[in-house]
Amino acid sequence: MPHPSSAGGRFIGLSAPLLAVAYVVLTAGPVLLASFTGGQQGPTAFSLLARAAGVAALAMFLMQFVTSGRFETISGRIGLDRTMGFHRLAAGGALGMLGLHIVFFLFRPGESGVAAMARRLFGYLLRADLFTGVVATLLAVFLILAGKYLRGKLLPYPAWRLGHGAAAVALVLLGLHHAFTNARFMADPLGASALLFIALVALASLLVVYVLRPVHAFRNGFTVASARALSPTIAELVLKTDTPERFSFAAGQFAWLTIGRRHTVTDNPFSIASAPSDLPELRFLIRDAGDMSGSITRLASGTRIGVDGPHGSFTLNEAGDGPILLLAGGIGIAPVLSLVRALAAAGDPRPVRLIAGARSAADHVVRTEIEDLMAGHDFRAIFLTDMDDEAGCEKGTCDAGHLARILDGLDPGAVTAFVCGPPVMMETAVGLLVEAGVPAERVVMERFDFDAGDDVICRIVRRRFISVMALVYGATFAVALTAALFR
Ligand SMILES: Cc1cc2nc3c(=O)[nH]c(=O)nc-3n(C[C@H](O)[C@H](O)[C@H](O)COP(=O)(O)OP(=O)(O)OC[C@H]3O[C@@H](n4cnc5c(N)ncnc54)[C@H](O)[C@@H]3O)c2cc1C
């Protein structure tokens, strides 16, 4: 599948292998640099390993700011869901490295029994000069457990997000204090400079996201043109701008929306449902999922909306020359509509097939629009609902039979499939697509939640992420052990 790095002249991000190399260099690099200039001097091999693990862990936590899903250079080609998947996995990797940092310090040649190590651990916990390191470790454990189990549960989502960010900043500040005031490793000028450089990259990424982007998001000049309910649970929001030249996007991408005077700290991601040719209007289909999404229909026309985007790789840029299969579940129809509108506007000759599922026929809010747009095109669609006897819809969820029917007459190996919907639907659909002969690398997905999927493609991607982590661990400890040998 072609993966051009630019769309319409616009840079859309780095490739996965390049990102992997950059991550390994930036996380294991400080350890390597330190070993060149004698900073690895230490009493035992264990203390060298401990310091190497500490520096790598800190570099990994700093890199979490860069992989937070807001940078197109990172997520433009691999997608937001994969970026967030890596962010989650790398958090675990950083915590593991931090654990090794502590465990290695507990070892002493000749006195490494459990009781001696427990005594030493207790001693470390009470040492005033290790206070920031201890608090940073506790924060890291809390952050990762809260991210996994409490996200969007105890606290409203925006409050959780703010707390997560604030705790992450506190964690790296405490970690940097610990490194620069305690670890002998940091007495080394090159290692310390490398870590400082990564800290500056993290700081710059925070400034971009929380200072530059909020300003830029309102520079596009978008205001509400109309906001209306299309069904009891789905609203349509149309924005317009007098300066359309300041905003461009590819069909299928999404933007972070901020309403009125709110800061982008509380923004929400929504797929653009219109096509680029519909500018100066931008259209969104929004399902009532909570505070912000439930208040769309109350927005007065003329309300200023911050639009930070475009983001995402759910675009025709990812498609080959063969047929296009669109699978949408529920509000997943929003980016799919954008693709359909773009294909229709371009008079694209590729066959287009659609399977769209919704709770009821009334929730197929853009069915007529899609059928009108695709009139005269090589197009077939199946509309599914959960209910019986819904006019023109079939009952049930997408299964192998539906796929076989919709792909009839097409070569599955040449199809590019675009899948967007609830997590369960996506997992099932991806499995069915691969079974039907659609190559896994030709399945393009957009997840509306940041939880990890458990489909065949997610499993392949997770294995690649684990290989990147293995490289970071391998490089860190290989360098530390080599330094120990030449001590
Ligand atoms: C790439 C992407 C594209 C999306 N496109 C659409 C779309 O076109 N139409 C649509 O209806 N929904 C879309 N969503 C989902 C939408 O962002 C959430 O439903 C919305 O943010 C809920 O906000 P709320 O304030 O109403 O809900 P809240 O009450 O704040 O939260 C409800 C749930 O929504 C999710 N959520 C809330 N805020 C965010 C956030 N900032 N980032 C990610 N998830 C969040 C969380 O799972 C949370 O538990 C998309 C999500 C993503 C990640």
Side-chain angles (χ1 to χ4, degrees), residues 80 157-158 161 254 256 267-271 285-287 289-293 331 334 446-448 450:
L80 179 69
Y157 194 86
R161 215 171 121 198
F254 71 94
W256 293 82
D267 56 5
N268 297 73
F270 292 105
S271 295
L285 299 177
I286 296 180
R287 187 177 62 90
D291 294 348
M292 186 267 186
S293 53
I331 200 63
E446 184 77 285
R447 281 179 193 281
F448 280 1
F450 293 148

Side-chain angles (χ1 to χ4, degrees), residues 3 22 28 34-35 107 155 326-327 350 366 379 391 403 424 427 469:
H3 275 285
S35 69
F107 281 106
L155 292 173
L326 307 167
L327 298 187
R350 284 173 287 190
V366 291
F379 175 72
L403 262 190
V424 181
E427 275 176 29
M469 280 301 127

